[in-house]
Amino acid sequence: MSTSAADPLAALGALPGVPEAVESVRKAVDRVYGHRVMRRRSNEITSEAALRGARGSAALAGADWALEEVRRRTDFGADEEARTVGAALRLSAEAGQLLSIWRQSPLRVLARLHLVAAGDAGTSPGGLDSVGRPRRDGEAVDEPLIQAALPDASEVAGRLDGLSELIIAGTSAPALVTAAVVHGELLALRPFTSYSGLVARAAERIVLIGSGLDPKAICPAEVGHAEQGRAAYVAAFEGYLTGTPEGMAAWIAHCGRAIELGVRESTAVCEALQRGAA
């Protein structure tokens, strides 16, 4: 068996432009981890990154709230936007608790993420029965940002199994590549009746943390995805859907830029804390 067949993600790491994106991300992450504030106040940076990442993911899902509104609110059940923000916050808090399970049973983690996002039966089109399991044929799917054709339930099940096998087997591919593929595949499948986009971005976060690239979860890619805008996000994702080398490379590069923008956000937080302590 060839190396590429045994480790299909590794070949993506060699696509034109991808090694440069990987190196740029690594340098950016190294810089923020080297910031002097990180030595004393990393927990504060982690908490702030979780909040800002949740805000960014919710914005992509149609709930584009100001950061201070997200910080201030305590009731997230009032309307659809509030429920979306609440789901994003719960996912951001939960992601770091699932790292040990992810490498052993990614499908369990995805089910847990959807359960956490849905919160209660009222936030999922299929009600309680649809929460925490892949959707069935004929079930309504609430994912307003992604309008691509929906794979049927059997294709979803097969591709989820394939993704799970790749993660369990491990890969020599850089963390950026693995995270981008997990994110893109979950967006393509929209495996749940609700919140599949939020779950996809939370899974990307889990890969970045668990891979060791961002072990303290201070580089919120969701911030960067939101900052680049919904139109750019969808355009890059359409590249993923083509499956072509050019399309895949463009999606991976887009995800890399999102991480770098997340790094910039956390660097600004470090600088603000440093000024406050001066």
PDB file of all heavy atoms in Angstrom, residues 47-72:
ATOM      1  N   SER A  47      -9.681  31.643  28.506  1.00  0.00           N
ATOM      2  CA  SER A  47     -11.099  31.962  28.730  1.00  0.00           C
ATOM      3  C   SER A  47     -11.602  32.997  27.733  1.00  0.00           C
ATOM      4  O   SER A  47     -12.707  32.876  27.190  1.00  0.00           O
ATOM      5  CB  SER A  47     -11.297  32.477  30.159  1.00  0.00           C
ATOM      6  OG  SER A  47     -10.998  31.471  31.104  1.00  0.00           O
ATOM      7  N   GLU A  48     -10.778  34.000  27.484  1.00  0.00           N
ATOM      8  CA  GLU A  48     -11.190  35.051  26.552  1.00  0.00           C
ATOM      9  C   GLU A  48     -11.253  34.511  25.130  1.00  0.00           C
ATOM     10  O   GLU A  48     -12.148  34.869  24.353  1.00  0.00           O
ATOM     11  CB  GLU A  48     -10.210  36.223  26.643  1.00  0.00           C
ATOM     12  CG  GLU A  48     -10.662  37.474  25.934  1.00  0.00           C
ATOM     13  CD  GLU A  48     -11.920  38.117  26.517  1.00  0.00           C
ATOM     14  OE1 GLU A  48     -12.270  37.826  27.686  1.00  0.00           O
ATOM     15  OE2 GLU A  48     -12.568  38.897  25.781  1.00  0.00           O
ATOM     16  N   ALA A  49     -10.312  33.630  24.774  1.00  0.00           N
ATOM     17  CA  ALA A  49     -10.333  33.029  23.441  1.00  0.00           C
ATOM     18  C   ALA A  49     -11.584  32.181  23.247  1.00  0.00           C
ATOM     19  O   ALA A  49     -12.178  32.170  22.159  1.00  0.00           O
ATOM     20  CB  ALA A  49      -9.075  32.184  23.226  1.00  0.00           C
ATOM     21  N   ALA A  50     -12.010  31.468  24.293  1.00  0.00           N
ATOM     22  CA  ALA A  50     -13.224  30.654  24.204  1.00  0.00           C
ATOM     23  C   ALA A  50     -14.441  31.537  23.958  1.00  0.00           C
ATOM     24  O   ALA A  50     -15.303  31.223  23.126  1.00  0.00           O
ATOM     25  CB  ALA A  50     -13.402  29.839  25.484  1.00  0.00           C
ATOM     26  N   LEU A  51     -14.520  32.652  24.673  1.00  0.00           N
ATOM     27  CA  LEU A  51     -15.643  33.569  24.508  1.00  0.00           C
ATOM     28  C   LEU A  51     -15.665  34.165  23.104  1.00  0.00           C
ATOM     29  O   LEU A  51     -16.702  34.190  22.434  1.00  0.00           O
ATOM     30  CB  LEU A  51     -15.542  34.683  25.549  1.00  0.00           C
ATOM     31  CG  LEU A  51     -16.680  35.705  25.548  1.00  0.00           C
ATOM     32  CD1 LEU A  51     -17.945  35.098  26.127  1.00  0.00           C
ATOM     33  CD2 LEU A  51     -16.274  36.947  26.336  1.00  0.00           C
ATOM     34  N   ARG A  52     -14.500  34.624  22.654  1.00  0.00           N
ATOM     35  CA  ARG A  52     -14.432  35.268  21.346  1.00  0.00           C
ATOM     36  C   ARG A  52     -14.624  34.254  20.218  1.00  0.00           C
ATOM     37  O   ARG A  52     -15.208  34.573  19.186  1.00  0.00           O
ATOM     38  CB  ARG A  52     -13.104  36.015  21.213  1.00  0.00           C
ATOM     39  CG  ARG A  52     -13.035  37.190  22.171  1.00  0.00           C
ATOM     40  CD  ARG A  52     -11.693  37.916  22.137  1.00  0.00           C
ATOM     41  NE  ARG A  52     -11.646  38.940  23.156  1.00  0.00           N
ATOM     42  CZ  ARG A  52     -11.248  40.191  22.964  1.00  0.00           C
ATOM     43  NH1 ARG A  52     -10.824  40.579  21.764  1.00  0.00           N
ATOM     44  NH2 ARG A  52     -11.234  41.063  23.952  1.00  0.00           N
ATOM     45  N   GLY A  53     -14.134  33.047  20.421  1.00  0.00           N
ATOM     46  CA  GLY A  53     -14.359  32.007  19.426  1.00  0.00           C
ATOM     47  C   GLY A  53     -15.827  31.661  19.298  1.00  0.00           C
ATOM     48  O   GLY A  53     -16.350  31.495  18.192  1.00  0.00           O
ATOM     49  N   ALA A  54     -16.517  31.552  20.431  1.00  0.00           N
ATOM     50  CA  ALA A  54     -17.946  31.272  20.410  1.00  0.00           C
ATOM     51  C   ALA A  54     -18.704  32.385  19.694  1.00  0.00           C
ATOM     52  O   ALA A  54     -19.609  32.131  18.895  1.00  0.00           O
ATOM     53  CB  ALA A  54     -18.469  31.096  21.831  1.00  0.00           C
ATOM     54  N   ARG A  55     -18.341  33.633  19.974  1.00  0.00           N
ATOM     55  CA  ARG A  55     -18.993  34.761  19.302  1.00  0.00           C
ATOM     56  C   ARG A  55     -18.803  34.673  17.796  1.00  0.00           C
ATOM     57  O   ARG A  55     -19.736  34.880  17.024  1.00  0.00           O
ATOM     58  CB  ARG A  55     -18.424  36.093  19.811  1.00  0.00           C
ATOM     59  CG  ARG A  55     -19.274  37.287  19.416  1.00  0.00           C
ATOM     60  CD  ARG A  55     -18.462  38.523  19.080  1.00  0.00           C
ATOM     61  NE  ARG A  55     -17.772  38.410  17.811  1.00  0.00           N
ATOM     62  CZ  ARG A  55     -18.331  38.652  16.627  1.00  0.00           C
ATOM     63  NH1 ARG A  55     -19.602  38.990  16.526  1.00  0.00           N
ATOM     64  NH2 ARG A  55     -17.629  38.521  15.517  1.00  0.00           N
ATOM     65  N   GLY A  56     -17.580  34.321  17.350  1.00  0.00           N
ATOM     66  CA  GLY A  56     -17.302  34.208  15.928  1.00  0.00           C
ATOM     67  C   GLY A  56     -18.077  33.091  15.261  1.00  0.00           C
ATOM     68  O   GLY A  56     -18.624  33.260  14.167  1.00  0.00           O
ATOM     69  N   SER A  57     -18.146  31.947  15.920  1.00  0.00           N
ATOM     70  CA  SER A  57     -18.869  30.810  15.343  1.00  0.00           C
ATOM     71  C   SER A  57     -20.356  31.122  15.244  1.00  0.00           C
ATOM     72  O   SER A  57     -21.006  30.814  14.235  1.00  0.00           O
ATOM     73  CB  SER A  57     -18.636  29.557  16.194  1.00  0.00           C
ATOM     74  OG  SER A  57     -19.076  28.398  15.517  1.00  0.00           O
ATOM     75  N   ALA A  58     -20.898  31.756  16.284  1.00  0.00           N
ATOM     76  CA  ALA A  58     -22.313  32.132  16.255  1.00  0.00           C
ATOM     77  C   ALA A  58     -22.584  33.144  15.150  1.00  0.00           C
ATOM     78  O   ALA A  58     -23.630  33.090  14.483  1.00  0.00           O
ATOM     79  CB  ALA A  58     -22.737  32.701  17.608  1.00  0.00           C
ATOM     80  N   ALA A  59     -21.649  34.071  14.932  1.00  0.00           N
ATOM     81  CA  ALA A  59     -21.824  35.072  13.874  1.00  0.00           C
ATOM     82  C   ALA A  59     -21.950  34.405  12.514  1.00  0.00           C
ATOM     83  O   ALA A  59     -22.791  34.788  11.691  1.00  0.00           O
ATOM     84  CB  ALA A  59     -20.655  36.055  13.882  1.00  0.00           C
ATOM     85  N   LEU A  60     -21.134  33.385  12.263  1.00  0.00           N
ATOM     86  CA  LEU A  60     -21.229  32.665  10.995  1.00  0.00           C
ATOM     87  C   LEU A  60     -22.574  31.941  10.866  1.00  0.00           C
ATOM     88  O   LEU A  60     -23.064  31.742   9.758  1.00  0.00           O
ATOM     89  CB  LEU A  60     -20.088  31.656  10.875  1.00  0.00           C
ATOM     90  CG  LEU A  60     -18.697  32.249  10.612  1.00  0.00           C
ATOM     91  CD1 LEU A  60     -17.639  31.177  10.767  1.00  0.00           C
ATOM     92  CD2 LEU A  60     -18.619  32.887   9.242  1.00  0.00           C
ATOM     93  N   ALA A  61     -23.150  31.562  12.006  1.00  0.00           N
ATOM     94  CA  ALA A  61     -24.442  30.868  11.997  1.00  0.00           C
ATOM     95  C   ALA A  61     -25.622  31.833  11.974  1.00  0.00           C
ATOM     96  O   ALA A  61     -26.769  31.405  12.083  1.00  0.00           O
ATOM     97  CB  ALA A  61     -24.538  29.944  13.212  1.00  0.00           C
ATOM     98  N   GLY A  62     -25.323  33.135  11.857  1.00  0.00           N
ATOM     99  CA  GLY A  62     -26.401  34.102  11.709  1.00  0.00           C
ATOM    100  C   GLY A  62     -26.721  34.918  12.934  1.00  0.00           C
ATOM    101  O   GLY A  62     -27.623  35.760  12.903  1.00  0.00           O
ATOM    102  N   ALA A  63     -25.996  34.700  14.033  1.00  0.00           N
ATOM    103  CA  ALA A  63     -26.217  35.467  15.266  1.00  0.00           C
ATOM    104  C   ALA A  63     -24.977  36.329  15.515  1.00  0.00           C
ATOM    105  O   ALA A  63     -24.114  35.977  16.316  1.00  0.00           O
ATOM    106  CB  ALA A  63     -26.480  34.534  16.442  1.00  0.00           C
ATOM    107  N   ASP A  64     -24.898  37.442  14.810  1.00  0.00           N
ATOM    108  CA  ASP A  64     -23.700  38.283  14.845  1.00  0.00           C
ATOM    109  C   ASP A  64     -23.850  39.344  15.938  1.00  0.00           C
ATOM    110  O   ASP A  64     -24.177  40.497  15.684  1.00  0.00           O
ATOM    111  CB  ASP A  64     -23.483  38.944  13.471  1.00  0.00           C
ATOM    112  CG  ASP A  64     -22.118  39.598  13.360  1.00  0.00           C
ATOM    113  OD1 ASP A  64     -21.348  39.543  14.345  1.00  0.00           O
ATOM    114  OD2 ASP A  64     -21.819  40.163  12.290  1.00  0.00           O
ATOM    115  N   TRP A  65     -23.593  38.939  17.161  1.00  0.00           N
ATOM    116  CA  TRP A  65     -23.712  39.813  18.314  1.00  0.00           C
ATOM    117  C   TRP A  65     -22.380  40.488  18.623  1.00  0.00           C
ATOM    118  O   TRP A  65     -21.312  39.907  18.393  1.00  0.00           O
ATOM    119  CB  TRP A  65     -24.142  39.023  19.543  1.00  0.00           C
ATOM    120  CG  TRP A  65     -25.562  38.565  19.534  1.00  0.00           C
ATOM    121  CD1 TRP A  65     -26.415  38.522  18.467  1.00  0.00           C
ATOM    122  CD2 TRP A  65     -26.276  38.051  20.647  1.00  0.00           C
ATOM    123  NE1 TRP A  65     -27.623  38.029  18.848  1.00  0.00           N
ATOM    124  CE2 TRP A  65     -27.582  37.722  20.178  1.00  0.00           C
ATOM    125  CE3 TRP A  65     -25.976  37.832  21.977  1.00  0.00           C
ATOM    126  CZ2 TRP A  65     -28.556  37.186  21.018  1.00  0.00           C
ATOM    127  CZ3 TRP A  65     -26.938  37.299  22.816  1.00  0.00           C
ATOM    128  CH2 TRP A  65     -28.224  36.996  22.344  1.00  0.00           C
ATOM    129  N   ALA A  66     -22.447  41.676  19.195  1.00  0.00           N
ATOM    130  CA  ALA A  66     -21.246  42.337  19.696  1.00  0.00           C
ATOM    131  C   ALA A  66     -20.664  41.512  20.845  1.00  0.00           C
ATOM    132  O   ALA A  66     -21.402  40.862  21.606  1.00  0.00           O
ATOM    133  CB  ALA A  66     -21.574  43.737  20.182  1.00  0.00           C
ATOM    134  N   LEU A  67     -19.350  41.542  20.974  1.00  0.00           N
ATOM    135  CA  LEU A  67     -18.693  40.754  22.019  1.00  0.00           C
ATOM    136  C   LEU A  67     -19.229  41.110  23.399  1.00  0.00           C
ATOM    137  O   LEU A  67     -19.463  40.218  24.228  1.00  0.00           O
ATOM    138  CB  LEU A  67     -17.180  40.988  21.963  1.00  0.00           C
ATOM    139  CG  LEU A  67     -16.353  40.216  22.992  1.00  0.00           C
ATOM    140  CD1 LEU A  67     -16.461  38.719  22.770  1.00  0.00           C
ATOM    141  CD2 LEU A  67     -14.892  40.661  22.919  1.00  0.00           C
ATOM    142  N   GLU A  68     -19.432  42.370  23.671  1.00  0.00           N
ATOM    143  CA  GLU A  68     -19.908  42.772  24.996  1.00  0.00           C
ATOM    144  C   GLU A  68     -21.317  42.271  25.267  1.00  0.00           C
ATOM    145  O   GLU A  68     -21.677  41.998  26.423  1.00  0.00           O
ATOM    146  CB  GLU A  68     -19.819  44.290  25.153  1.00  0.00           C
ATOM    147  CG  GLU A  68     -18.387  44.800  25.241  1.00  0.00           C
ATOM    148  CD  GLU A  68     -17.526  44.013  26.223  1.00  0.00           C
ATOM    149  OE1 GLU A  68     -17.983  43.771  27.377  1.00  0.00           O
ATOM    150  OE2 GLU A  68     -16.407  43.615  25.852  1.00  0.00           O
ATOM    151  N   GLU A  69     -22.126  42.137  24.228  1.00  0.00           N
ATOM    152  CA  GLU A  69     -23.464  41.568  24.406  1.00  0.00           C
ATOM    153  C   GLU A  69     -23.370  40.098  24.787  1.00  0.00           C
ATOM    154  O   GLU A  69     -24.092  39.613  25.670  1.00  0.00           O
ATOM    155  CB  GLU A  69     -24.293  41.743  23.126  1.00  0.00           C
ATOM    156  CG  GLU A  69     -25.675  41.135  23.156  1.00  0.00           C
ATOM    157  CD  GLU A  69     -26.643  41.855  24.077  1.00  0.00           C
ATOM    158  OE1 GLU A  69     -26.289  42.893  24.676  1.00  0.00           O
ATOM    159  OE2 GLU A  69     -27.783  41.361  24.213  1.00  0.00           O
ATOM    160  N   VAL A  70     -22.469  39.365  24.129  1.00  0.00           N
ATOM    161  CA  VAL A  70     -22.259  37.954  24.474  1.00  0.00           C
ATOM    162  C   VAL A  70     -21.773  37.840  25.912  1.00  0.00           C
ATOM    163  O   VAL A  70     -22.226  36.982  26.679  1.00  0.00           O
ATOM    164  CB  VAL A  70     -21.233  37.306  23.513  1.00  0.00           C
ATOM    165  CG1 VAL A  70     -20.965  35.856  23.909  1.00  0.00           C
ATOM    166  CG2 VAL A  70     -21.724  37.378  22.073  1.00  0.00           C
ATOM    167  N   ARG A  71     -20.883  38.741  26.295  1.00  0.00           N
ATOM    168  CA  ARG A  71     -20.310  38.701  27.640  1.00  0.00           C
ATOM    169  C   ARG A  71     -21.372  39.035  28.708  1.00  0.00           C
ATOM    170  O   ARG A  71     -21.361  38.481  29.800  1.00  0.00           O
ATOM    171  CB  ARG A  71     -19.167  39.722  27.720  1.00  0.00           C
ATOM    172  CG  ARG A  71     -18.189  39.494  28.870  1.00  0.00           C
ATOM    173  CD  ARG A  71     -17.219  40.656  29.002  1.00  0.00           C
ATOM    174  NE  ARG A  71     -16.450  40.918  27.814  1.00  0.00           N
ATOM    175  CZ  ARG A  71     -15.370  40.241  27.433  1.00  0.00           C
ATOM    176  NH1 ARG A  71     -14.939  39.237  28.168  1.00  0.00           N
ATOM    177  NH2 ARG A  71     -14.714  40.561  26.323  1.00  0.00           N
ATOM    178  N   ARG A  72     -22.268  39.951  28.364  1.00  0.00           N
ATOM    179  CA  ARG A  72     -23.231  40.471  29.334  1.00  0.00           C
ATOM    180  C   ARG A  72     -24.423  39.547  29.555  1.00  0.00           C
ATOM    181  O   ARG A  72     -24.920  39.418  30.671  1.00  0.00           O
ATOM    182  CB  ARG A  72     -23.744  41.832  28.832  1.00  0.00           C
ATOM    183  CG  ARG A  72     -24.751  42.523  29.728  1.00  0.00           C
ATOM    184  CD  ARG A  72     -25.306  43.771  29.064  1.00  0.00           C
ATOM    185  NE  ARG A  72     -26.126  43.472  27.883  1.00  0.00           N
ATOM    186  CZ  ARG A  72     -27.396  43.094  27.940  1.00  0.00           C
ATOM    187  NH1 ARG A  72     -27.992  42.957  29.110  1.00  0.00           N
ATOM    188  NH2 ARG A  72     -28.069  42.842  26.831  1.00  0.00           N
TER     189      ARG A  72
END
